[in-house]
Amino acid sequence: DEKRKYAAAFQQATSTLVGQLAPGQVVAMPPATAAQVFMPWRLQAPTLNAIWRLADRDRDNALSLPEFCIAMAPQRVVCFRT
């Protein structure tokens, strides 16, 4: 299941951030962490920026789990292209 795979990738990438959260604060992936996750795609910066803008629905410059799942969807297209 793709959603389960994305959730595991999100949890792994954000595991070090969990201890830094205030009570009740939701885990969100900052751009630097997302860049490390998306780096294997080898996409140009304008393409990655477009993916980020589409995925970051609340415009808080961080990706929640649902937003991360949106950002990961193009991965399937990139895998077939390479």
Side-chain angles (χ1 to χ4, degrees), residues 53-72:
R53 283 193 314 274
L54 290 170
D56 187 16
R57 306 299 293 168
D58 58 7
R59 303 292 185 245
D60 65 350
N61 203 35
L63 299 180
S64 64
L65 176 56
E67 292 170 335
F68 179 74
C69 291
I70 292 168
M72 291 297 287

Side-chain angles (χ1 to χ4, degrees), residues 18-81:
V18 173
Q20 302 170 15
L21 298 176
Q25 189 176 5
V26 176
V27 177
M29 183 180 294
T33 304
Q36 293 174 358
V37 173
F38 302 147
M39 193 175 297
W41 296 4
R42 298 183 182 174
L43 296 175
Q44 294 182 359
T47 304
L48 287 172
N49 287 334
I51 291 170
W52 184 273
R53 283 193 314 274
L54 290 170
D56 187 16
R57 306 299 293 168
D58 58 7
R59 303 292 185 245
D60 65 350
N61 203 35
L63 299 180
S64 64
L65 176 56
E67 292 170 335
F68 179 74
C69 291
I70 292 168
M72 291 297 287
Q75 177 190 27
R76 296 172 75 187
V77 174
V78 171
C79 289
F80 286 115
R81 195 181 76 183

